[in-house]
Amino acid sequence: MSQRQLALLLIAPGLALVAALFLYPLSFSLISAFTGPQGGVSLDSFRKAWELYSRDMLFTVVIVLASCLFTGLAAIIIAGTLTLGENRWIVGTLKALYRWPLFIPFIVAAQCMRTFLAKNGLMNNSFVAMGLMEPLQAVSFLDWRGIIATFVWKQTPFVALLLAGALAAIDRATLEAGRNLGASRLRVLVELALPQVMPQLLVALVLSFVTMLSVLSVPMMVAGSQPTMLTVDMAFRINAYGDYATANALGVITYLLSAGAAIIYLKRGMAGKEVAP
Amino acid sequence: MRLATSLRTALAASLLAAFAFVLIGPLANLALWSVAERWYTPYKLPVTYGTRYWEQVFRPTGDAMASLGTSVWIAVLTVVVALALSIPAGYALARLKLPARALFMVLFLLPQAFPSVAIYINVARVFYQLGINGTVFAVVLVHAAHGLVYSVWIAAAAFGAVDKELELAARNIGASPLKTFFSVTLPLAAPGIIASGIFVFLESLDEFTGTFFVGVPQVMTLPLLLYNAAMGGNYQVASITALILLVPSVLFMLFIERFLRADVLAKVGA
């Protein structure tokens, strides 16, 4: 047996599992989405999905983009402080704190936020206790704001970790030179450091984008009601009506939303960049 | 000048305090709920504290212990399946001549690069037709496919980081290729492979969406129990279940650097 045949033999079982549990269902969802009630190619499912859920499509896009934006900003602030911060006490505390949500499951994050952001949750109660707010002003954040807060809370450590790693690897001399020429740390971060680590930031955000688009527990537990995210709509179409055509049309829309993101991701992944697990 | 510096430090410190509140607050709220026997408005803190719900959850006949057992059993099986598939695949990808190697790497990556809900609903439909929906076997398959990208990529990186000279030395003193693999290559790649196993274990323990479509109602894992308790308004049981799920995740975060050496990490995806 040649080395090539042996290699193919060794990866075949793994590939078979990916084919059976990913490629086949993916093809089926594509076919089902484009098949009409009487068979044949049709866009009926997409028409129905648009009529019923166009608002949720917009809602999903806005939520995921806003979450990515805030996650990116928070990660830049954290990673920037870790790299360029001069107060050792502040840098040390931040370093010890920021990674905590890294491996916390989404469903646990959702449960945390469900109680924390509620009208009488710990957040509002603390504000009232500190005298920052009157009890009557307390509002529940368990809607789109809650979903964004949960996503940002959960994803920021991941993006910040990759970004801090990338920032630590760049040439310190240019940053020191910038500082010596009198540039503020903010300016050094924005004009010298960030442009050099944009690829890594982009990869981390793209990964977060696809992840957020796939999460079912957070929108179900944090915001439940209408409007909601497409993942919840898909689960509802299946569990309430067994309506695979519409659910798969919604699925194809989520593929399309992530397709652009995935292409960038694959390009970066194949370019051999560091991808932390 | 000194005043400006101390002002800036004070500002930074208060920003840090706000950050700590946002970061720790939700977790503190979770911990509070787990020991709150009665907590209702307008009280800002629990009215009575106690471990009544912990006893309820940890009672041998309690749902949580049964779900924990199911979750751990599924996670162990998932690790076995994922490693059995990814050790040979990772070795082939790292060490052997393979046509279209990059394509195969991407194929293993795909399940992570697409939103998964639409995939899972169709997997559930197929499993239903095969009569295996609602079995531990079905849930393990779904979890293993999900974890395969980590285990294959990390295994490939771990094998890639093994010094080829050592393998050659073993061959030179007469070891067979198989003997070389089991006595040199595999032991040297073991830390990375163990790390990928831990990662797959945690992914399986935490997985909600796939189990939600493929496992319910027969297979009840901890995340599903947490979901049911939360939606049923039982915040104590939901919070205690969430805390149980938190423990391995936080431990892993604290220890990942010891398991996954920097030279292996740098090779992931390479």
Side-chain angles (χ1 to χ4, degrees):
Chain A
M1 187 163 39
S2 76
Q3 213 188 64
R4 285 182 172 204
Q5 285 168 326
L6 176 68
L8 287 173
L9 196 70
L10 288 177
I11 65 168
L15 280 181
L17 190 69
V18 171
L21 292 186
F22 177 75
L23 294 179
Y24 175 74
L26 177 73
S27 322
F28 185 87
S29 72
L30 290 171
I31 294 167
S32 160
F34 286 100
T35 306
Q38 276 84 42
V41 177
S42 142
L43 288 176
D44 280 0
S45 314
F46 287 93
R47 218 164 282 138
K48 190 171 171 192
W50 179 256
E51 272 167 28
L52 292 171
Y53 299 112
S54 54
R55 203 165 146 231
D56 288 354
M57 289 174 203
L58 184 70
F59 183 75
T60 304
V61 172
V62 169
I63 289 231
V64 173
L65 282 179
S67 303
C68 280
L69 181 74
F70 291 128
T71 302
L73 282 177
I76 290 171
I77 294 172
I78 293 170
T81 310
L82 288 178
T83 320
L84 298 168
E86 279 160 10
N87 183 321
R88 277 166 66 189
W89 191 82
I90 286 175
V91 171
T93 314
L94 188 63
K95 205 173 199 168
L97 278 179
Y98 86 98
R99 279 200 290 182
W100 279 86
L102 188 60
F103 291 112
I104 291 178
F106 271 103
I107 191 158
V108 173
Q111 174 60 22
C112 286
M113 290 301 179
R114 210 173 139 79
T115 47
F116 185 66
L117 298 176
K119 190 164 182 237
N120 295 298
L122 194 66
M123 186 181 75
N124 283 336
N125 284 346
S126 306
F127 288 160
V128 170
M130 286 188 280
L132 295 172
M133 192 169 77
E134 292 296 316
L136 284 176
Q137 291 173 315
V139 287
S140 162
F141 287 91
L142 297 180
D143 46 26
W144 59 275
R145 291 168 295 188
I147 303 181
I148 293 179
T150 314
F151 281 162
V152 174
W153 187 82
K154 170 76 184 82
Q155 283 305 118
T156 297
F158 169 71
V159 179
L161 186 73
L162 286 191
L163 197 61
L167 282 175
I170 62 177
D171 186 10
R172 299 286 303 182
T174 50
L175 307 185
E176 301 293 336
R179 288 291 283 154
N180 289 340
L181 287 172
S184 70
R185 271 178 291 166
L186 185 66
R187 214 168 143 197
V188 169
L189 177 68
V190 173
E191 292 183 9
L192 289 176
L194 273 185
Q196 298 186 55
V197 295
M198 268 328 240
Q200 283 90 343
L201 177 61
L202 203 63
V203 170
L205 287 179
V206 165
L207 278 169
S208 300
F209 183 92
V210 179
T211 304
M212 291 167 187
L213 215 48
S214 319
V215 176
L216 177 65
S217 53
V218 172
M220 279 204 297
M221 287 172 67
V222 174
S225 59
Q226 289 291 321
T228 187
M229 294 183 69
L230 291 178
T231 45
V232 181
D233 295 330
M234 277 185 260
F236 177 72
R237 290 314 301 175
I238 297 298
N239 290 338
Y241 298 108
D243 179 1
Y244 282 90
T246 310
N248 280 322
L250 291 172
V252 170
I253 290 164
T254 64
Y255 301 153
L256 290 177
L257 287 176
S258 68
I263 289 168
I264 303 172
Y265 172 36
L266 294 179
K267 266 190 180 165
R268 301 299 323 169
M270 286 172 66
K273 292 287 164 194
E274 254 187 25
V275 178
Chain B
M1 193 63 196
R2 182 174 277 175
L3 184 70
T5 314
S6 45
L7 259 179
R8 277 177 67 164
T9 309
L11 181 69
S14 43
L15 280 176
L16 194 63
F19 175 72
F21 175 71
V22 168
L23 197 79
I24 304 298
L27 293 170
N29 205 164
L30 192 74
L32 269 180
W33 262 112
S34 75
V35 290
E37 291 202 347
R38 290 187 308 143
W39 188 359
Y40 44 84
T41 49
Y43 294 98
K44 291 183 181 59
L45 288 170
V47 185
T48 46
Y49 293 88
T51 53
R52 186 158 61 91
Y53 286 93
W54 282 89
E55 281 154 31
Q56 186 188 323
V57 163
F58 277 100
R59 205 177 293 153
T61 52
D63 288 344
M65 285 318 276
S67 307
L68 179 64
T70 309
S71 274
V72 171
W73 178 229
I74 286 174
V76 168
L77 290 176
T78 302
V79 170
V80 171
V81 172
L83 289 190
L85 298 176
S86 61
I87 290 175
Y91 183 78
L93 287 166
R95 275 292 193 259
L96 302 177
K97 279 200 200 89
L98 191 65
R101 181 178 170 277
L103 176 75
F104 289 122
M105 293 292 274
V106 169
L107 271 177
F108 283 114
L109 183 73
L110 280 180
Q112 295 284 340
F114 278 83
S116 52
V117 173
I119 303 291
Y120 287 140
I121 58 180
N122 293 297
V123 170
R125 192 190 55 86
V126 176
F127 281 3
Y128 190 74
Q129 285 168 347
L130 295 173
I132 57 171
N133 227 17
T135 63
V136 167
F137 176 67
V139 176
V140 168
L141 281 184
V142 164
H143 287 191
H146 179 77
L148 214 53
V149 60
Y150 301 110
S151 56
V152 167
W153 278 47
I154 298 176
F159 283 123
V162 172
D163 191 353
K164 275 187 184 139
E165 299 284 323
L166 294 172
E167 291 175 343
L168 283 176
R171 293 302 304 279
N172 280 342
I173 55 171
S176 68
L178 214 57
K179 170 101 178 155
T180 306
F181 176 78
F182 280 109
S183 56
V184 177
T185 319
L186 191 59
L188 286 173
I193 291 171
I194 291 172
S196 82
I198 296 174
F199 209 80
V200 170
F201 182 88
L202 281 176
E203 281 283 315
S204 167
L205 208 60
D206 298 342
E207 212 277 343
F208 171 74
T209 315
T211 323
F212 181 78
F213 288 109
V214 169
V216 286
Q218 292 90 343
V219 180
M220 180 64 70
T221 58
L222 272 185
L224 287 175
L225 181 82
L226 161 54
Y227 173 74
N228 286 343
M231 299 311 261
N234 193 335
Y235 281 8
Q236 285 91 347
V237 170
S239 301
I240 293 168
T241 317
L243 281 175
I244 299 172
L245 280 174
L246 267 188
V247 175
S249 313
V250 169
L251 283 180
F252 183 58
M253 185 199 71
L254 294 176
F255 287 106
I256 181 164
E257 279 141 357
R258 304 204 178 162
F259 276 104
L260 215 48
R261 306 195 320 268
D263 58 333
V264 174
L265 253 181
K267 278 204 158 55
V268 173

